[in-house]
mmCIF file of all heavy atoms in Angstrom:
data_model
loop_
_atom_site.group_PDB
_atom_site.id
_atom_site.type_symbol
_atom_site.label_atom_id
_atom_site.label_comp_id
_atom_site.label_asym_id
_atom_site.label_seq_id
_atom_site.Cartn_x
_atom_site.Cartn_y
_atom_site.Cartn_z
ATOM 1 N N MET A 73 96.234 99.304 -168.699
ATOM 2 C CA MET A 73 95.575 100.618 -168.564
ATOM 3 C C MET A 73 96.466 101.756 -169.116
ATOM 4 O O MET A 73 95.937 102.768 -169.569
ATOM 5 C CB MET A 73 95.138 100.871 -167.119
ATOM 6 C CG MET A 73 93.956 100.029 -166.688
ATOM 7 S SD MET A 73 93.349 100.417 -165.009
ATOM 8 C CE MET A 73 94.637 99.683 -163.995
ATOM 9 N N TYR A 74 97.742 101.578 -168.976
ATOM 10 C CA TYR A 74 98.668 102.601 -169.484
ATOM 11 C C TYR A 74 98.778 102.555 -170.989
ATOM 12 O O TYR A 74 98.626 103.584 -171.685
ATOM 13 C CB TYR A 74 100.071 102.424 -168.857
ATOM 14 C CG TYR A 74 101.070 103.442 -169.361
ATOM 15 C CD1 TYR A 74 101.093 104.735 -168.845
ATOM 16 C CD2 TYR A 74 102.034 103.068 -170.318
ATOM 17 C CE1 TYR A 74 102.034 105.663 -169.334
ATOM 18 C CE2 TYR A 74 102.960 103.963 -170.762
ATOM 19 C CZ TYR A 74 102.964 105.283 -170.254
ATOM 20 O OH TYR A 74 103.893 106.190 -170.740
ATOM 21 N N ILE A 75 99.024 101.401 -171.562
ATOM 22 C CA ILE A 75 99.268 101.259 -173.000
ATOM 23 C C ILE A 75 97.965 101.401 -173.780
ATOM 24 O O ILE A 75 97.920 102.076 -174.859
ATOM 25 C CB ILE A 75 99.913 99.931 -173.314
ATOM 26 C CG1 ILE A 75 101.270 99.760 -172.591
ATOM 27 C CG2 ILE A 75 100.125 99.744 -174.837
ATOM 28 C CD1 ILE A 75 102.301 100.750 -173.017
ATOM 29 N N LEU A 76 96.874 100.842 -173.299
ATOM 30 C CA LEU A 76 95.610 100.762 -174.027
ATOM 31 C C LEU A 76 94.571 101.696 -173.398
ATOM 32 O O LEU A 76 93.353 101.387 -173.402
ATOM 33 C CB LEU A 76 95.057 99.337 -174.063
ATOM 34 C CG LEU A 76 96.011 98.298 -174.714
ATOM 35 C CD1 LEU A 76 95.405 96.938 -174.638
ATOM 36 C CD2 LEU A 76 96.357 98.678 -176.162
ATOM 37 N N ALA A 77 95.008 102.826 -172.853
ATOM 38 C CA ALA A 77 94.057 103.762 -172.195
ATOM 39 C C ALA A 77 92.995 104.236 -173.135
ATOM 40 O O ALA A 77 91.813 104.299 -172.771
ATOM 41 C CB ALA A 77 94.848 104.950 -171.605
ATOM 42 N N VAL A 78 93.361 104.597 -174.376
ATOM 43 C CA VAL A 78 92.377 105.170 -175.305
ATOM 44 C C VAL A 78 91.306 104.141 -175.691
ATOM 45 O O VAL A 78 90.130 104.403 -175.548
ATOM 46 C CB VAL A 78 93.073 105.711 -176.561
ATOM 47 C CG1 VAL A 78 92.052 106.086 -177.672
ATOM 48 C CG2 VAL A 78 93.945 106.907 -176.210
ATOM 49 N N PRO A 79 91.686 102.928 -176.181
ATOM 50 C CA PRO A 79 90.585 101.982 -176.505
ATOM 51 C C PRO A 79 89.828 101.522 -175.303
ATOM 52 O O PRO A 79 88.589 101.232 -175.377
ATOM 53 C CB PRO A 79 91.345 100.795 -177.160
ATOM 54 C CG PRO A 79 92.766 100.930 -176.719
ATOM 55 C CD PRO A 79 92.985 102.413 -176.578
ATOM 56 N N LEU A 80 90.456 101.460 -174.122
ATOM 57 C CA LEU A 80 89.778 101.035 -172.902
ATOM 58 C C LEU A 80 88.678 102.040 -172.547
ATOM 59 O O LEU A 80 87.514 101.646 -172.246
ATOM 60 C CB LEU A 80 90.765 100.876 -171.775
ATOM 61 C CG LEU A 80 90.255 100.390 -170.426
ATOM 62 C CD1 LEU A 80 89.632 99.002 -170.572
ATOM 63 C CD2 LEU A 80 91.364 100.341 -169.380
ATOM 64 N N CYS A 81 89.022 103.323 -172.521
ATOM 65 C CA CYS A 81 88.025 104.347 -172.170
ATOM 66 C C CYS A 81 86.924 104.426 -173.228
ATOM 67 O O CYS A 81 85.776 104.693 -172.971
ATOM 68 C CB CYS A 81 88.706 105.703 -172.011
ATOM 69 S SG CYS A 81 89.766 105.803 -170.525
ATOM 70 N N THR A 82 87.316 104.230 -174.503
ATOM 71 C CA THR A 82 86.327 104.280 -175.579
ATOM 72 C C THR A 82 85.322 103.136 -175.429
ATOM 73 O O THR A 82 84.113 103.337 -175.592
ATOM 74 C CB THR A 82 87.040 104.174 -176.964
ATOM 75 O OG1 THR A 82 87.977 105.215 -177.066
ATOM 76 C CG2 THR A 82 86.021 104.254 -178.086
ATOM 77 N N LEU A 83 85.798 101.919 -175.105
ATOM 78 C CA LEU A 83 84.889 100.756 -174.957
ATOM 79 C C LEU A 83 84.023 100.918 -173.740
ATOM 80 O O LEU A 83 82.824 100.556 -173.822
ATOM 81 C CB LEU A 83 85.733 99.495 -174.830
ATOM 82 C CG LEU A 83 86.405 99.016 -176.100
ATOM 83 C CD1 LEU A 83 87.341 97.828 -175.811
ATOM 84 C CD2 LEU A 83 85.363 98.565 -177.126
ATOM 85 N N PHE A 84 84.527 101.425 -172.662
ATOM 86 C CA PHE A 84 83.751 101.526 -171.414
ATOM 87 C C PHE A 84 82.778 102.740 -171.405
ATOM 88 O O PHE A 84 81.631 102.593 -170.955
ATOM 89 C CB PHE A 84 84.674 101.621 -170.177
ATOM 90 C CG PHE A 84 85.039 100.289 -169.588
ATOM 91 C CD1 PHE A 84 85.952 99.476 -170.195
ATOM 92 C CD2 PHE A 84 84.431 99.849 -168.405
ATOM 93 C CE1 PHE A 84 86.286 98.254 -169.654
ATOM 94 C CE2 PHE A 84 84.742 98.635 -167.871
ATOM 95 C CZ PHE A 84 85.685 97.803 -168.514
ATOM 96 N N TYR A 85 83.262 103.867 -171.868
ATOM 97 C CA TYR A 85 82.495 105.110 -171.692
ATOM 98 C C TYR A 85 82.113 105.792 -173.003
ATOM 99 O O TYR A 85 81.477 106.869 -173.000
ATOM 100 C CB TYR A 85 83.319 106.108 -170.866
ATOM 101 C CG TYR A 85 83.744 105.521 -169.560
ATOM 102 C CD1 TYR A 85 85.083 105.433 -169.196
ATOM 103 C CD2 TYR A 85 82.827 105.045 -168.631
ATOM 104 C CE1 TYR A 85 85.519 104.907 -167.998
ATOM 105 C CE2 TYR A 85 83.211 104.501 -167.425
ATOM 106 C CZ TYR A 85 84.552 104.427 -167.097
ATOM 107 O OH TYR A 85 84.943 103.903 -165.902
ATOM 108 N N GLY A 86 82.455 105.190 -174.162
ATOM 109 C CA GLY A 86 82.022 105.729 -175.436
ATOM 110 C C GLY A 86 82.854 106.852 -175.951
ATOM 111 O O GLY A 86 82.624 107.362 -177.056
ATOM 112 N N ASN A 87 83.869 107.332 -175.227
ATOM 113 C CA ASN A 87 84.777 108.363 -175.678
ATOM 114 C C ASN A 87 86.093 108.243 -174.968
ATOM 115 O O ASN A 87 86.190 107.570 -173.944
ATOM 116 C CB ASN A 87 84.196 109.786 -175.516
ATOM 117 C CG ASN A 87 84.016 110.126 -174.049
ATOM 118 O OD1 ASN A 87 84.962 110.396 -173.340
ATOM 119 N ND2 ASN A 87 82.764 110.126 -173.580
ATOM 120 N N ALA A 88 87.133 108.871 -175.528
ATOM 121 C CA ALA A 88 88.467 108.750 -175.008
ATOM 122 C C ALA A 88 88.929 109.977 -174.232
ATOM 123 O O ALA A 88 90.135 110.146 -174.015
ATOM 124 C CB ALA A 88 89.441 108.490 -176.146
ATOM 125 N N ASP A 89 87.986 110.830 -173.798
ATOM 126 C CA ASP A 89 88.377 112.091 -173.124
ATOM 127 C C ASP A 89 89.116 111.823 -171.818
ATOM 128 O O ASP A 89 89.927 112.621 -171.353
ATOM 129 C CB ASP A 89 87.139 112.935 -172.874
ATOM 130 C CG ASP A 89 86.498 113.442 -174.162
ATOM 131 O OD1 ASP A 89 87.199 113.411 -175.202
ATOM 132 O OD2 ASP A 89 85.311 113.865 -174.127
ATOM 133 N N THR A 90 88.755 110.701 -171.160
ATOM 134 C CA THR A 90 89.352 110.405 -169.855
ATOM 135 C C THR A 90 90.674 109.623 -170.006
ATOM 136 O O THR A 90 91.347 109.357 -168.970
ATOM 137 C CB THR A 90 88.403 109.568 -169.000
ATOM 138 O OG1 THR A 90 88.046 108.391 -169.682
ATOM 139 C CG2 THR A 90 87.137 110.363 -168.662
ATOM 140 N N ALA A 91 91.069 109.215 -171.210
ATOM 141 C CA ALA A 91 92.249 108.420 -171.424
ATOM 142 C C ALA A 91 93.528 109.054 -170.899
ATOM 143 O O ALA A 91 94.358 108.351 -170.278
ATOM 144 C CB ALA A 91 92.417 108.070 -172.903
ATOM 145 N N PRO A 92 93.784 110.386 -171.125
ATOM 146 C CA PRO A 92 95.036 110.991 -170.558
ATOM 147 C C PRO A 92 95.114 110.875 -169.056
ATOM 148 O O PRO A 92 96.212 110.609 -168.529
ATOM 149 C CB PRO A 92 94.951 112.459 -171.003
ATOM 150 C CG PRO A 92 94.073 112.399 -172.237
ATOM 151 C CD PRO A 92 93.056 111.350 -171.987
ATOM 152 N N MET A 93 93.977 111.028 -168.337
ATOM 153 C CA MET A 93 94.013 110.880 -166.887
ATOM 154 C C MET A 93 94.353 109.447 -166.493
ATOM 155 O O MET A 93 95.164 109.219 -165.593
ATOM 156 C CB MET A 93 92.637 111.221 -166.311
ATOM 157 C CG MET A 93 92.144 112.638 -166.520
ATOM 158 S SD MET A 93 90.528 112.885 -165.702
ATOM 159 C CE MET A 93 90.039 114.468 -166.465
ATOM 160 N N LEU A 94 93.723 108.463 -167.184
ATOM 161 C CA LEU A 94 93.981 107.074 -166.869
ATOM 162 C C LEU A 94 95.425 106.719 -167.126
ATOM 163 O O LEU A 94 96.054 106.052 -166.312
ATOM 164 C CB LEU A 94 93.037 106.192 -167.724
ATOM 165 C CG LEU A 94 93.210 104.690 -167.467
ATOM 166 C CD1 LEU A 94 92.845 104.334 -166.037
ATOM 167 C CD2 LEU A 94 92.276 103.889 -168.462
ATOM 168 N N ARG A 95 95.975 107.137 -168.238
ATOM 169 C CA ARG A 95 97.361 106.825 -168.596
ATOM 170 C C ARG A 95 98.332 107.423 -167.565
ATOM 171 O O ARG A 95 99.318 106.825 -167.232
ATOM 172 C CB ARG A 95 97.720 107.355 -169.976
ATOM 173 C CG ARG A 95 99.122 107.039 -170.414
ATOM 174 C CD ARG A 95 99.431 107.476 -171.845
ATOM 175 N NE ARG A 95 98.743 106.553 -172.785
ATOM 176 C CZ ARG A 95 97.864 106.936 -173.667
ATOM 177 N NH1 ARG A 95 97.444 108.213 -173.731
ATOM 178 N NH2 ARG A 95 97.314 106.093 -174.502
ATOM 179 N N MET A 96 97.994 108.613 -167.075
ATOM 180 C CA MET A 96 98.872 109.286 -166.113
ATOM 181 C C MET A 96 98.866 108.527 -164.771
ATOM 182 O O MET A 96 99.944 108.391 -164.108
ATOM 183 C CB MET A 96 98.431 110.719 -165.896
ATOM 184 C CG MET A 96 99.295 111.530 -164.984
ATOM 185 S SD MET A 96 98.683 113.249 -164.902
ATOM 186 C CE MET A 96 99.838 113.966 -163.746
ATOM 187 N N MET A 97 97.744 108.002 -164.369
ATOM 188 C CA MET A 97 97.617 107.396 -163.035
ATOM 189 C C MET A 97 97.964 105.883 -163.019
ATOM 190 O O MET A 97 98.279 105.335 -161.997
ATOM 191 C CB MET A 97 96.219 107.608 -162.495
ATOM 192 C CG MET A 97 95.816 109.047 -162.333
ATOM 193 S SD MET A 97 94.187 109.244 -161.563
ATOM 194 C CE MET A 97 94.501 108.790 -159.872
ATOM 195 N N ALA A 98 97.843 105.227 -164.213
ATOM 196 C CA ALA A 98 97.953 103.755 -164.255
ATOM 197 C C ALA A 98 99.236 103.219 -163.637
ATOM 198 O O ALA A 98 99.183 102.241 -162.858
ATOM 199 C CB ALA A 98 97.791 103.298 -165.701
ATOM 200 N N PRO A 99 100.436 103.781 -163.953
ATOM 201 C CA PRO A 99 101.637 103.154 -163.394
ATOM 202 C C PRO A 99 101.714 103.193 -161.851
ATOM 203 O O PRO A 99 102.383 102.354 -161.249
ATOM 204 C CB PRO A 99 102.761 104.006 -163.961
ATOM 205 C CG PRO A 99 102.176 104.656 -165.192
ATOM 206 C CD PRO A 99 100.766 104.885 -164.837
ATOM 207 N N PHE A 100 100.995 104.131 -161.268
ATOM 208 C CA PHE A 100 101.023 104.278 -159.825
ATOM 209 C C PHE A 100 99.906 103.523 -159.109
ATOM 210 O O PHE A 100 99.823 103.535 -157.870
ATOM 211 C CB PHE A 100 100.958 105.766 -159.427
ATOM 212 C CG PHE A 100 102.076 106.564 -160.035
ATOM 213 C CD1 PHE A 100 101.919 107.207 -161.234
ATOM 214 C CD2 PHE A 100 103.294 106.680 -159.414
ATOM 215 C CE1 PHE A 100 102.948 107.938 -161.823
ATOM 216 C CE2 PHE A 100 104.360 107.419 -159.959
ATOM 217 C CZ PHE A 100 104.169 108.040 -161.160
ATOM 218 N N ALA A 101 99.053 102.828 -159.909
ATOM 219 C CA ALA A 101 97.967 102.045 -159.301
ATOM 220 C C ALA A 101 98.509 100.882 -158.526
ATOM 221 O O ALA A 101 97.892 100.400 -157.579
ATOM 222 C CB ALA A 101 97.033 101.544 -160.389
ATOM 223 N N VAL A 102 99.724 100.405 -158.873
ATOM 224 C CA VAL A 102 100.327 99.295 -158.147
ATOM 225 C C VAL A 102 100.477 99.608 -156.681
ATOM 226 O O VAL A 102 100.343 98.717 -155.816
ATOM 227 C CB VAL A 102 101.688 98.932 -158.790
ATOM 228 C CG1 VAL A 102 102.353 97.820 -158.023
ATOM 229 C CG2 VAL A 102 101.531 98.517 -160.262
#
């Protein structure tokens, strides 16, 4: 989720606007 935030958000939601939020939070999801 951290490294591939942009393609992940694009595939799921059709755009990458949420990718910065996902990348910021991903390391702390553990």
